Amino acid sequence: RYAEIVADRFAERALIAGCDEARKISAEQGSTLTDRMERIASVLARVEQQRKGLGCRVPMMKLDALRQASQSIRWLVKHVVPAESIGMLFGGSGTFKSFIAIDMALHVAHGLPWMGRRTDKGPVLYIAAEGGAGLWNRIDAWHRARPGLRWQDADLFVVPAAIALTADAWRVVDAAQAVGATPMMVVVDTLSQTYAGEENSANEMAAYLRELGLRFRQLWQCAVMLIHHSGHQATERPRGSSAIRGNLDWMFGVHRDELEMLATLACQKQKDGELFDDATFQLSVGQLGKEDDGDDITSLVARHLSTQDEINRAAQAEAEAGRGGRDQKLMALVDNG
């Protein structure tokens, strides 16, 4: 950010000097108006070139270079989340989207396969814009459900504050640099708590996503995952402007049937690959201890169900517990003809 300020001030001084030179040229006697205008245009072009620099030229590739670039796509989660991308995990209230996001983040931080797919192990930066106290319980419960893993070994950094990322994403970068962190994944939980604009404004939303691309994705060459709510009327798409889908590399929706402790993750966009099949996650309650008044401290833990048998057993358990959702009611009617 400091380097950007220095560059901007240099450009301003160059512009002032160029305008002074143009003023002198315009007042010269003995040369034609056309000649003076051409010289002034040359001065302003020189100033513009100094501002842009050689690194800002439009890239141009031959086909062999384009072919190599297309084959060098890296994946944070193989064929699920590209390594250098911006995506979204959205769903309605109570669909367990944050628990699934934490599950993905911790699998990356520990270098464990997620949904049966290989992950590229690395640091994860989690922006907990709704506060970090509840996040700790979820992380603690996740590790207690996996006795072989220690939370001390998770390469996870947390920003427990709401930050308007359109204007202040550089502050997050500054904080990461201060502790020597170079994240491979950034989780923004949630978009609405880090976005100060109008959700239905295409221009403001596009500017927000461009800032995340510049500050996080391009700087760290990492994957950025936004957690967002679904639309009020249309649960199959995220809330807000249509610019959201157009500016994302991938988009996952989370759905839940009524009171079931099961959630379905559906891939709705994957720019760099094919859509993967729906995945099912089961939520269980983890016991963390006792409060001062004796009440239990608990948190939910998400676990991916990798086989159809696991999904069937979980659905049967939900039905027996009286938490069967619409799918179970529908199938009961179908069974009866």
Side-chain angles (χ1 to χ4, degrees):
R1 178 58 182 164
Y2 178 74
E4 289 177 344
I5 294 172
V6 171
D8 287 343
R9 297 299 182 268
F10 169 77
E12 289 176 1
R13 290 193 298 272
L15 178 60
I16 293 171
C19 290
D20 287 342
E21 185 177 350
R23 182 183 56 81
K24 293 177 181 179
I25 293 173
S26 66
E28 287 180 357
Q29 300 297 322
S31 59
T32 64
L33 177 61
T34 300
D35 178 61
R36 281 178 285 170
M37 291 184 67
E38 288 179 352
R39 290 166 61 194
I40 290 172
S42 177
V43 170
L44 295 179
R46 184 179 71 243
V47 172
E48 177 68 6
Q49 182 61 36
Q50 287 177 334
R51 184 181 72 85
K52 288 184 176 180
L54 296 178
C56 295
R57 289 178 175 171
V58 175
M60 186 174 297
M61 291 182 175
K62 295 192 71 174
L63 288 182
D64 57 345
L66 180 63
R67 176 176 174 271
Q68 292 179 7
S70 67
Q71 295 175 342
S72 62
I73 296 175
R74 296 183 302 112
W75 295 90
L76 180 70
V77 181
K78 191 68 176 289
H79 299 310
V80 174
V81 178
E84 188 175 350
S85 63
I86 297 182
M88 176 175 287
L89 179 68
F90 74 91
S93 178
T95 54
F96 308 129
K97 54 186 178 292
S98 290
F99 294 96
I100 294 175
I102 290 170
D103 186 58
M104 183 199 299
L106 288 172
H107 275 79
V108 171
H110 283 286
L112 301 172
W114 189 66
M115 296 198 325
R117 316 292 183 100
R118 180 183 60 80
T119 63
D120 197 0
K121 181 180 179 182
V124 176
L125 173 59
Y126 201 104
I127 302 177
E130 297 180 352
L135 180 63
W136 163 249
N137 287 342
R138 298 175 183 184
I139 294 173
D140 188 18
W142 188 92
H143 284 91
R144 288 175 185 244
R146 297 163 175 82
L149 299 175
R150 303 189 319 147
W151 62 263
Q152 294 92 335
D153 297 330
D155 205 358
L156 184 69
F157 299 86
V158 178
V159 176
I163 298 174
L165 293 179
T166 305
D168 293 330
W170 68 272
R171 296 183 183 274
V172 178
V173 174
D174 184 61
Q177 291 175 339
V179 298
T182 303
M184 293 187 64
M185 180 181 188
V186 176
V187 181
V188 180
D189 187 4
T190 59
L191 181 150
S192 60
Q193 293 295 321
T194 59
Y195 176 65
E198 168 58 49
E199 285 189 358
N200 292 312
S201 170
N203 290 336
E204 292 182 15
M205 182 58 69
Y208 170 83
L209 295 173
R210 280 197 303 270
E211 188 69 7
L212 297 188
L214 173 66
R215 300 296 178 187
F216 299 158
R217 181 185 61 186
Q218 292 184 22
L219 175 64
W220 291 322
Q221 296 182 332
C222 69
V224 181
M225 179 170 68
L226 297 162
I227 301 177
H228 193 34
H229 303 284
S230 59
H232 296 300
Q233 301 299 327
T235 58
E236 73 280 359
R237 64 177 180 82
R239 188 179 71 197
S241 169
S242 58
I244 292 178
R245 182 182 181 91
N247 286 274
L248 295 176
D249 299 307
W250 48 273
M251 193 164 67
F252 305 154
V254 182
H255 310 279
R256 176 191 177 196
D257 271 348
E258 293 183 357
L259 301 178
E260 282 186 339
M261 298 296 284
L262 299 173
T264 301
L265 180 72
C267 180
Q268 298 196 2
K269 178 180 180 180
Q270 185 61 270
K271 189 179 74 172
D272 292 325
E274 297 182 357
L275 304 184
F276 56 81
D277 294 336
D278 291 356
T280 301
F281 288 79
Q282 183 178 37
L283 279 293
S284 59
V285 178
Q287 298 289 334
L288 303 178
K290 297 284 186 179
E291 295 182 349
D292 294 338
D293 58 5
D295 289 344
D296 290 335
I297 301 175
T298 63
S299 179
L300 294 177
V301 181
R303 182 177 71 89
H304 174 244
L305 302 180
S306 57
T307 67
Q308 188 60 47
D309 286 343
E310 287 184 331
I311 296 174
N312 293 339
R313 287 196 299 269
Q316 181 64 32
E318 292 296 307
E320 293 174 356
R323 295 194 296 263
R326 288 183 293 273
D327 288 348
Q328 281 69 34
K329 292 178 181 177
L330 173 63
M331 293 310 298
L333 292 173
V334 172
D335 288 342
N336 289 330

